[in-house]
Amino acid sequence: MSKQNFKRREFLGLMGGTALAALWPGGGALAADSGALLTLGFQDSVWGSVAMVADKEQVFKKAGANVKVLKFDSGKTVRDSMISGRIDIGTLGTTPFIVGAAKGDIVALATVAYAGRTDSVVAGAKTNIKSVKELKGKRIASQVGSSTDYIFQNKIIPAYGLKKGDYQIVNTKFRDQVAALAAGSVDAFAGVEPYPSVAVLDGIGRVLVNYSKYDMLPVWLAINQPVLEKHPKEVVAFMKGWLMAVKTFKDDPKHVAKIVWESYTSQGYTIKEDAIDSMMGKFDVNPNYVKGLKHYLNQQAEVLLKAGRISKIPDWDKVLNHKILEEARSA
């Protein structure tokens, strides 16, 4: 997997959200005089694939919404850009979502998907590592602050009898993990698709375990509450467009896979179509809040509270918005 000319994306990843809001041309999120404009941020992994399809198919325009779409390297960066005011709506993993709900005005419009099978722990093909328990004393690439990292360190590692300190985490962006594994600078990585599939298909790594046994891994479609309160009609139109993209996932998965593959190749990646086909089959797109979701959020929030990451557990009845999705479906 190769990359070319990532200056703009690296700039996005390196700069803080507040600085971005100040420096980016045209300002940031929904400006006071912009009216219908909404700004959507998504992470450049399988978790952002619904947004990729929505952008490519121009479904927001078809639904009567004016939406600007931006890519980011992770849900954590999306959340920081939401808190700073650069973007209005974003796709987030659970850890960034809870922190954003506790520290900012971030609320959920829907779920994007349940993505337990899209995250995996991958060991180097040249190592003798065949189980997570054999990661003791090893160097592991993981994007710290992400849901992928949180679940790896707090659920998967303990399930194999290991604890923090038994291994070394190397904070590595998802997009750089395969290269780190190929170079031998790490022994394994905790990553999100398409990177596990790329590693396997290129003969660089082997999957030790995916996350589905340990976590449902909901991916969230979230919005800044003040934007929702000020522009509810525009948000309903946005959601109508989003649901069009969801329908494409259900009705034409081959077309979806082609769009996602073209999204990566257009950025300079050399990536096999087989890797895209593999990853898309693991992504359960579903905008509905499933049974037990509040209990799940409380469990995750309690861990973050004890760790000092948040100062309070959000009120999920207020944070989980049902109205916009219902209105979009009935419109």
Side-chain angles (χ1 to χ4, degrees):
M1 182 178 180
S2 65
K3 298 175 290 182
Q4 302 168 358
N5 191 20
F6 287 105
K7 290 182 180 179
R8 176 177 177 274
R9 292 171 62 220
E10 289 170 353
F11 174 77
L12 293 178
L14 291 170
M15 293 294 289
T18 302
L20 279 168
L23 294 174
W24 201 260
L30 207 59
D33 60 352
S34 65
L37 178 65
L38 293 168
T39 309
L40 167 67
F42 69 92
Q43 61 271 66
D44 199 17
S45 70
V46 67
W47 291 10
S49 58
V50 179
M52 294 179 197
V53 172
D55 189 31
K56 178 67 174 180
E57 297 290 278
Q58 297 186 338
V59 293
F60 297 124
K61 184 177 180 180
K62 294 173 184 176
N66 182 12
V67 180
K68 180 180 179 181
V69 182
L70 297 172
K71 297 185 183 77
F72 294 85
D73 63 4
S74 70
K76 178 179 180 293
T77 312
V78 172
R79 180 206 63 211
D80 292 345
S81 293
M82 291 180 71
I83 291 175
S84 73
R86 183 190 170 199
I87 60 174
D88 306 306
I89 303 171
T91 62
L92 307 170
T94 294
T95 301
F97 172 64
I98 292 175
V99 173
K103 294 185 176 181
D105 290 315
I106 292 176
V107 299
L109 294 172
T111 50
V112 175
Y114 296 88
R117 292 189 298 148
T118 68
D119 274 13
S120 297
V121 182
V122 181
K126 294 181 180 180
T127 71
N128 294 319
I129 300 169
K130 296 181 179 179
S131 170
V132 172
K133 66 183 178 181
E134 296 172 13
L135 293 176
K136 187 172 183 178
K138 304 300 184 183
R139 289 167 57 86
I140 305 159
S142 187
Q143 184 150 342
V144 175
S146 66
S147 293
T148 301
D149 176 71
Y150 169 84
I151 295 163
F152 172 68
Q153 295 207 60
N154 291 279
K155 293 187 177 183
I156 296 178
I157 281 290
Y160 286 84
L162 301 180
K163 61 184 184 299
K164 293 179 181 179
D166 286 342
Y167 53 91
Q168 182 181 348
I169 289 292
V170 180
N171 189 8
T172 311
K173 294 183 185 299
F174 294 125
R175 68 187 186 217
D176 297 328
Q177 290 176 344
V178 175
L181 193 65
S185 57
V186 297
D187 302 293
F189 70 78
V192 61
E193 292 289 350
Y195 308 110
S197 289
V198 168
V200 171
L201 290 171
D202 286 354
I204 296 167
R206 71 173 68 90
V207 171
L208 302 180
V209 66
N210 71 46
Y211 282 34
S212 60
K213 179 181 177 181
Y214 305 95
D215 201 286
M216 69 174 78
L217 260 178
V219 182
W220 301 89
L221 182 63
I223 189 169
N224 281 326
Q225 178 72 24
V227 176
L228 176 58
E229 291 175 353
K230 187 174 182 180
H231 300 275
K233 291 182 180 179
E234 287 89 344
V235 177
V236 170
F238 165 89
M239 183 59 72
K240 286 174 63 179
W242 185 269
L243 291 176
M244 290 179 189
V246 170
K247 188 175 187 299
T248 303
F249 268 74
K250 305 298 184 183
D251 294 348
D252 199 347
K254 289 186 177 180
H255 182 55
V256 166
K258 182 180 179 182
I259 290 172
V260 175
W261 178 73
E262 289 176 348
S263 176
Y264 283 110
T265 56
S266 69
Q267 297 175 63
Y269 285 103
T270 299
I271 184 169
K272 297 176 182 177
E273 289 187 68
D274 289 350
I276 301 299
D277 291 339
S278 173
M279 82 170 188
M280 297 312 299
K282 303 172 185 176
F283 196 52
D284 180 17
V285 174
N286 181 357
N288 300 309
Y289 302 140
V290 299
K291 185 178 179 180
L293 200 53
K294 288 182 184 178
H295 177 67
Y296 169 87
L297 286 167
N298 270 326
Q299 287 183 318
Q300 308 303 307
E302 285 171 2
V303 174
L304 293 171
L305 183 65
K306 289 179 182 177
R309 296 279 304 279
I310 59 176
S311 60
K312 62 179 181 180
I313 294 178
D315 182 343
W316 304 118
D317 288 328
K318 295 180 179 178
V319 171
L320 301 183
N321 182 286
H322 295 263
K323 185 177 179 181
I324 296 299
L325 186 58
E326 293 170 359
E327 289 186 9
R329 282 175 165 156
S330 62

